[in-house]
Amino acid sequence: DGGITQSPKYLFRKEGQNVTLSCEQNLNHDAMYWYRQDPGQGLRLIYYSQIVNDFQKGDIAEGYSVSREKKESFPLTVTSAQKNPTAFYLCASSPSRGSNEQFFGPGTRLTVL
Amino acid sequence: KQEVTQIPAALSVPEGENLVLNCSFTDSAIYNLQWFRQDPGKGLTSLLLIQSSQREQTSGRLNASLDKSSGRSTLYIAASQPGDSATYLCAVSGPRAAGNKLTFGGGTRVLVKP
């Protein structure tokens, strides 16, 4: 069953703590993306990776970090430097050839207490 | 910098009426445009993708048009049903060399009343 999985679905964090959000895909896609969505708004790009061991900052990378050690995995760490981390986080992937259509995971809702 | 706008932000129609959702973008140098559906608290489901060389795409009751020169796309949903109630997002991707990044509009929240 191919697709993109994100875990956990809900995450609660105390201020000052780092947390890591998981994103895994078995679609054999080269590119992966992390977006943030705030209530009533569209998505904003945090980081993206076009190939293993390489990633680029998106529009709102401050306070976040990523790694891409395996093709199927692209974890996102929300650090204590992120001033307003409460949001809905969405991971996506796309093939590097053809249509470049992006496919999304179910999302992780992060709440800072 | 690319900016994407969706108007209206919310729309309510009676069941059976056709839906017309608008998307505009400021930079016509796009690679493709995608329309997504999002249910509350869920991820995005891709509905249609239009390549920059195409004028429209169709899937069932859905039809999306693209006018790159005027920076507009329209999503038509024929004979709306209560199950079509959701938020619809459009997004454009920049030049392929820029990693196929998507720039999103703010979405249109649709309510189809039985």
Side-chain angles (χ1 to χ4, degrees):
Chain A
D1 200 16
I4 303 172
T5 58
Q6 292 186 242
S7 61
K9 186 173 182 179
Y10 299 98
L11 187 57
F12 297 90
R13 186 195 97 175
K14 293 181 180 179
E15 281 193 28
Q17 288 182 335
N18 293 352
V19 289
T20 298
L21 282 59
S22 168
C23 177
E24 304 275 334
Q25 53 97 3
N26 60 4
L27 301 168
N28 200 34
H29 286 168
D30 289 313
M32 297 186 74
Y33 309 82
W34 273 106
Y35 294 90
R36 168 185 172 136
Q37 186 177 33
D38 293 286
Q41 298 186 30
L43 281 67
R44 291 181 291 168
L45 182 66
I46 304 172
Y47 267 99
Y48 65 101
S49 168
Q50 293 180 269
I51 197 168
V52 174
N53 292 322
D54 185 56
F55 49 82
Q56 307 294 330
K57 290 182 179 180
D59 299 320
I60 55 166
E62 185 176 352
Y64 299 97
S65 66
V66 293
S67 63
R68 187 84 186 278
E69 297 177 1
K70 298 186 295 183
K71 186 176 185 178
E72 58 270 21
S73 178
F74 191 40
L76 173 75
T77 297
V78 184
T79 74
S80 57
Q82 167 51 234
K83 291 182 171 50
N84 186 19
T86 295
F88 190 46
Y89 291 87
L90 288 154
C91 176
S93 70
S94 72
S96 58
R97 298 176 184 175
S99 69
N100 290 95
E101 184 175 3
Q102 289 195 19
F103 298 89
F104 282 76
T108 292
R109 184 165 301 281
L110 172 64
T111 303
V112 174
L113 304 171
Chain B
K1 181 185 173 185
Q2 180 72 269
E3 292 182 2
V4 181
T5 304
Q6 291 184 251
I7 295 173
L11 187 59
S12 180
V13 299
E15 182 177 2
E17 193 166 297
N18 296 335
L19 282 164
V20 180
L21 307 178
N22 298 304
C23 172
S24 62
F25 47 95
T26 54
D27 186 350
S28 62
I30 65 169
Y31 187 65
N32 60 41
L33 183 146
Q34 272 186 269
W35 281 95
F36 296 92
R37 170 187 172 134
Q38 185 177 33
D39 293 291
K42 306 289 187 184
L44 275 63
T45 300
S46 180
L47 297 174
L48 291 167
L49 179 143
I50 312 176
Q51 300 287 1
S52 62
S53 59
Q54 297 176 315
R55 299 281 297 182
E56 67 175 350
Q57 277 285 351
T58 298
S59 176
R61 292 185 296 114
L62 276 60
N63 174 277
S65 65
L66 174 64
D67 184 343
K68 213 170 67 162
S69 61
S70 67
R72 293 180 186 175
S73 176
T74 303
L75 177 66
Y76 300 91
I77 303 177
S80 62
Q81 304 167 358
D84 294 329
S85 299
T87 297
Y88 292 84
L89 295 153
C90 74
V92 298
S93 69
R96 192 167 186 157
N100 190 36
K101 296 182 292 181
L102 286 177
T103 301
F104 281 83
T108 295
R109 191 171 66 254
V110 171
L111 175 63
V112 180
K113 297 178 287 187

